[in-house]
Amino acid sequence: AQSVTQPDIHITVSEGASLELRCNYSYGATPYLFWYVQSPGQGLQLLLKYFSGDTLVQGIKGFEAEFKRSQSSFNLRKPSVHWSDAAEYFCAVVLSYNTDKLIFGTGTRLQVFP
Amino acid sequence: GAGVSQSPRYKVAKRGQDVALRCDPISGHVSLFWYQQALGQGPEFLTYFQNEAQLDKSGLPSDRFFAERPEGSVSTLKIQRTQQEDSAVYLCASSLRGGLVVNEQFFGPGTRLTVL
């Protein structure tokens, strides 16, 4: 079935440690790819997106993501996590510009210990 | 306003009641989306408007769900005869334009609906 998969439901890291959140998709063609962050009581905020071109994309708050076509993956990374990064992270895709509707993964909850 | 706003932020309804959820998109944004986010899940698409036209309502779970955007700005999501499984956060998003490009969607804070 076509889907967006985030295999890690919950990740805990220490402040200052590096972070990688995994995302895989299963669609015939490469979709448009996004990472969103959702903090408690706040709306979803776009971290970064990939449409085409350079497969390593930079986003806000020091995040980056790498698109790997061979693995159908779009993993999110940050070299040094801050306590304020604790939140829920969602990978999402858009299949067609005709509707722009986002298809989300189930999310990864990030907990940061001091 | 500066961002997408939604009201009310919280709504408690008794099973069988009708509810109406409002979304005020960013001024000038052509596209408007509604998503439903159940507890512990990612948001799921409900419906999409381009101006006042509802171009995609494939995600509406039943005919009890109805959305409108009569003047191409404010939108209302109405749920009739609410059921417990309707309990969720309802997110609204808007983007600058539709057409031949994929645009960033800006999300509101959501309305948390609890059906007792």
Side-chain angles (χ1 to χ4, degrees), chain A residues 6 9 32 34 36 38 40-47 49 51 88 90-91 93-107 109, chain B residues 9-10 31 33 35 37 40-45 48 50 55-56 58-59 89 91 95 97-110:
Chain A
Q6 293 181 249
I9 296 173
Y32 304 94
F34 304 79
Y36 281 84
Q38 187 176 41
Q42 311 234 345
L44 287 156
Q45 182 181 23
L46 180 67
L47 287 175
K49 60 190 178 188
F51 289 179
E88 187 91 22
F90 293 96
C91 180
V93 306
V94 166
L95 299 181
S96 166
Y97 58 72
N98 287 328
T99 66
D100 278 4
K101 68 181 180 185
L102 287 157
I103 302 170
F104 287 87
T106 51
R109 178 165 299 278
Chain B
R9 291 291 311 276
Y10 303 91
S31 298
F33 304 80
Y35 295 86
Q37 185 175 20
Q41 300 296 316
E44 292 193 356
F45 170 80
Y48 160 65
Q50 191 170 119
L55 299 185
D56 187 346
S58 61
V89 175
L91 297 169
S95 66
R97 63 188 184 279
L100 301 181
V101 293
V102 175
N103 299 275
E104 177 181 352
Q105 294 181 30
F106 295 85
F107 282 81

Side-chain angles (χ1 to χ4, degrees), chain A residues 17-64:
Chain A
S18 64
L19 172 70
E20 182 169 31
L21 303 183
R22 296 183 289 165
C23 174
N24 294 90
Y25 62 90
S26 58
Y27 295 96
T30 300
Y32 304 94
L33 298 159
F34 304 79
W35 274 99
Y36 281 84
V37 60
Q38 187 176 41
S39 299
Q42 311 234 345
L44 287 156
Q45 182 181 23
L46 180 67
L47 287 175
L48 47 75
K49 60 190 178 188
Y50 174 78
F51 289 179
S52 65
D54 193 345
T55 57
L56 184 63
V57 294
Q58 302 297 319
I60 62 171
K61 304 185 179 188
F63 286 93
E64 66 179 25

Side-chain angles (χ1 to χ4, degrees), chain B residues 21-58:
Chain B
L21 312 181
R22 177 187 169 105
C23 172
D24 283 86
I26 294 172
S27 178
H29 276 197
V30 168
S31 298
L32 186 145
F33 304 80
W34 284 98
Y35 295 86
Q36 180 191 57
Q37 185 175 20
L39 188 64
Q41 300 296 316
E44 292 193 356
F45 170 80
L46 293 177
T47 187
Y48 160 65
F49 291 86
Q50 191 170 119
N51 294 305
E52 69 278 3
Q54 189 174 20
L55 299 185
D56 187 346
K57 53 182 181 179
S58 61

